[in-house]
Amino acid sequence: DSGVTQTPKHLITATGQRVTLRCSPRSGDLSVYWYQQSLDQGLQFLIQYYNGEERAKGNILERFSAQQFPDLHSELNLSSLELGDSALYFCASSVDGTSNEQFFGPGTRLTVL
Amino acid sequence: EDQVTQSPEALRLQEGESSSLNCSYTVSGLRGLFWYRQDPGKGPEFLFTLYSAGEEKEKERLKATLTKKESFLHITAPKPEDSATYLCAVQGWVAGNMLTFGGGTRLMVKP
């Protein structure tokens, strides 16, 4: 158990809908990262937050957005969902914004029908 | 752009049969190279961080090594419980804190 928690574990929804994925980092960690893992793309970095501020952006679609709250938990919002958004979404956390080791949560499996 | 290529894509071993997994990388200044283990449907589990060429780290039956162009994960006398996908990732100075992952090596160890 890495200490990173994610909810929900599974999410099934329809095309065009909007969902919110939630992540709580390890105790004491200030930085949160979101990754998407699909069968054809592998594990891809989406976005990083550090102490409430956006720190880095990867291949995140405009339909996706994220934020980190004062209690350091983070939410990833996915809107206008398409079939191709079906994937595992992982949150990771690290001690600070420059720390190397990132510890991953158990993931949320999103299925878009 | 940072790139990571892992080989082989899949590896079947008999219990006790040692082998190595390869991770080739190109990165704009290496901050760290990471090995993770991932079981089906679960999050990647951190194994090692390597920072500079020549560095080695060990944990139980696993040993990770690093050169300027690649890293190897050596598995000595594997057991069925070592079956998993092993992921390699790099973190470069230019790309910031993001990890760039390879496609992984799916290891199956048969009893």
Side-chain angles (χ1 to χ4, degrees):
Chain A
D1 185 353
S2 66
V4 178
T5 60
Q6 289 186 248
T7 56
K9 284 197 73 166
H10 303 278
L11 202 48
I12 301 174
T13 187
T15 55
Q17 294 299 303
R18 172 188 166 97
V19 297
T20 297
L21 313 183
R22 182 187 168 106
C23 166
S24 292
R26 295 186 317 161
S27 177
D29 284 1
L30 298 177
S31 201
V32 168
Y33 310 77
W34 286 97
Y35 291 84
Q36 179 192 58
Q37 187 174 42
S38 58
L39 283 174
D40 56 344
Q41 294 279 336
L43 205 53
Q44 303 264 316
F45 169 74
L46 296 177
I47 197 164
Q48 177 201 1
Y49 278 83
Y50 170 67
N51 206 19
E53 306 259 334
E54 183 183 303
R55 177 62 70 93
K57 227 169 183 175
N59 298 322
I60 188 167
L61 299 171
E62 283 192 16
R63 302 184 283 109
F64 296 2
S65 65
Q67 54 184 324
Q68 186 180 28
F69 295 87
D71 68 352
L72 301 177
H73 91 271
S74 178
E75 292 180 357
L76 179 67
N77 300 297
L78 315 176
S79 62
S80 303
L81 285 167
E82 301 175 359
L83 295 177
D85 297 328
S86 296
L88 271 165
Y89 290 85
F90 290 105
C91 168
S93 73
S94 65
V95 170
D96 55 33
T98 58
S99 174
N100 296 102
E101 286 87 7
Q102 296 177 21
F103 295 88
F104 282 76
T108 292
R109 181 175 292 280
L110 174 66
T111 302
V112 183
L113 301 175
Chain B
E1 183 180 317
D2 300 345
Q3 289 191 331
V4 179
T5 304
Q6 291 187 246
S7 63
E9 286 188 15
L11 181 62
R12 297 170 77 100
L13 298 173
Q14 288 294 131
E15 184 172 0
E17 179 187 1
S18 302
S19 188
S20 296
L21 314 183
N22 177 265
C23 169
S24 298
Y25 65 90
T26 55
V27 65
S28 49
L30 182 69
R31 286 180 64 191
L33 184 139
F34 305 85
W35 283 98
Y36 285 85
R37 169 194 168 124
Q38 186 175 27
D39 292 299
K42 303 211 171 165
E45 174 191 342
F46 173 75
L47 293 174
F48 304 108
T49 308
L50 301 167
Y51 296 101
S52 56
E55 190 174 359
E56 298 182 353
K57 286 198 176 164
E58 282 188 72
K59 179 180 177 178
E60 296 179 1
R61 296 177 291 282
L62 300 177
K63 179 169 135 180
T65 61
L66 181 65
T67 72
K68 287 189 177 178
K69 292 184 178 180
E70 56 192 349
S71 176
F72 293 93
L73 184 66
H74 307 278
I75 303 178
T76 302
K79 298 183 177 181
E81 54 262 42
D82 294 322
S83 297
T85 295
Y86 290 85
L87 298 168
C88 172
V90 296
Q91 188 180 52
W93 286 104
V94 173
N97 300 319
M98 62 175 280
L99 297 180
T100 300
F101 281 86
T105 293
R106 189 159 52 93
L107 174 67
M108 293 154 284
V109 182
K110 297 173 68 175

